[in-house]
Amino acid sequence: MAAQAAEGHGREVVLQAMLAAGWSHQVASEALSETPPPALPVPWPASAESSLRLDAGDRRVDISTVMRGPDLLVLENLLDEQECLALIDAAKPRLQRSLTVALETGGEELHDDRTSDGMFFTRGENTVVARIEARIARLLGWPLENGEGLQVLRYGPGTEYKPHYDYFDPFEPGTPSILARGGQRVATVIMYLQEPAEGGATVFPDLRLQVVPRRGSAVFFSYGMAHPSSQTLHGGMPVLAGEKWIATKWLREREFV
């Protein structure tokens, strides 16, 4: 099952093959839901186990939280104030209602779970974006070209992003077309550009962890398996007052095109 999913066969194709082989529908469906795909290599700073300060090339970045299994870091001073403000200013004229990935088709769609406004920079679009992308690549030891374009999001009062996974479900029919652009997502970096006056924490329900947004800090987490066992369910809690601005960087297993 894992091998067929990795080859791009949809859930229905695998299910029908299992039924033809004599599986009952209930057992086959349960097995498909419980079987994780093969694990992929993921980014991780080489010195994160021995040092609370990491070399990001043009600056030193502090670690305030380390977790393994799942792999997660809370990073302090990843961005400076000027970089945060520059990203916000460049993003403002291009904001639109945020979309989510439509796994049925491989496209995008509006979804009630995500109520922010957002936009995407192309990779290396301006000097600030290029500098931040190079910093992340150096920090995590992951190729620059394996990153998606930086996404900037604004959350006003009452807006949120309900808990979700960032990987692409290998059994959804639209996933093969998404994976053709660079393979699976294997890690996420959420950078906080502006903290709200109240609310807006990043929550990891499976880990009972909340990360408080602070300008310039970030949370990094990886997921070598596109499966709930990765324990990377996460969401943005509702903003209660003020505005929260974030920049998200998703890393793929191969070059993103």
Side-chain angles (χ1 to χ4, degrees):
M1 288 183 286
Q4 290 189 51
E7 291 172 3
H9 298 294
R11 183 186 298 270
E12 190 60 30
V13 171
V14 179
L15 176 62
Q16 292 303 318
M18 295 171 72
L19 296 178
W23 292 61
S24 73
H25 194 284
Q26 179 179 349
V27 173
S29 297
E30 291 176 354
L32 280 173
S33 298
E34 295 174 1
T35 302
L40 299 170
V42 297
W44 185 255
S47 59
E49 302 295 328
S50 57
S51 174
L52 294 180
R53 177 166 287 188
L54 302 176
D55 180 10
D58 62 344
R59 67 190 301 151
R60 295 281 181 171
V61 176
D62 297 321
I63 301 174
S64 60
T65 300
V66 182
M67 184 176 294
R68 301 304 304 264
D71 293 345
L72 181 149
L73 297 171
V74 178
L75 304 168
E76 307 294 340
N77 308 311
L78 180 62
L79 307 181
D80 62 33
E81 182 175 7
Q82 290 71 33
E83 290 169 333
C84 293
L85 294 175
L87 288 178
I88 291 173
D89 288 344
K92 278 182 179 178
R94 295 160 59 179
L95 292 176
Q96 296 181 345
R97 170 68 189 274
S98 299
L99 303 175
T100 60
V101 174
L103 293 177
E104 288 291 323
T105 64
E108 295 180 311
E109 63 184 359
L110 286 172
H111 200 291
D112 291 340
D113 285 355
R114 191 181 203 186
T115 51
S116 60
D117 295 319
M119 56 76 67
F120 276 95
F121 291 107
T122 57
R123 198 168 56 226
E125 180 172 325
N126 59 45
T127 56
V128 175
V129 169
R131 183 166 67 245
I132 293 169
E133 291 174 331
R135 188 179 301 156
I136 292 171
R138 170 71 176 266
L139 183 74
L140 300 176
W142 204 249
L144 181 69
E145 61 270 19
N146 290 23
E148 296 184 25
L150 206 65
Q151 183 186 44
V152 173
L153 297 169
R154 178 184 65 190
Y155 291 87
T159 58
E160 64 179 320
Y161 195 178
K162 293 181 179 178
H164 59 281
Y165 298 99
D166 282 352
Y167 58 74
F168 306 114
D169 187 336
F171 289 109
E172 290 290 346
T175 295
S177 64
I178 298 172
L179 299 186
R181 299 190 64 191
Q184 264 291 0
R185 285 177 176 168
V186 293
T188 300
V189 184
I190 300 173
M191 294 162 274
Y192 302 106
L193 308 180
Q194 176 179 303
E195 65 267 25
E198 188 177 356
T202 302
V203 60
F204 293 82
D206 293 343
L207 307 178
R208 298 183 179 180
L209 173 68
Q210 291 186 21
V211 178
V212 176
R214 290 191 296 271
R215 173 174 280 171
S217 66
V219 58
F220 157 80
F221 54 98
S222 63
Y223 28 95
M225 292 187 295
H227 190 267
S229 61
S230 67
Q231 294 184 289
T232 55
L233 183 69
H234 66 286
M237 296 181 69
V239 170
L240 303 179
E243 287 186 340
K244 179 179 75 170
W245 286 77
I246 66 171
T248 302
K249 182 74 172 176
W250 288 291
L251 304 179
R252 297 284 192 110
E253 61 176 310
R254 299 190 298 273
E255 180 178 1
F256 178 73
V257 295

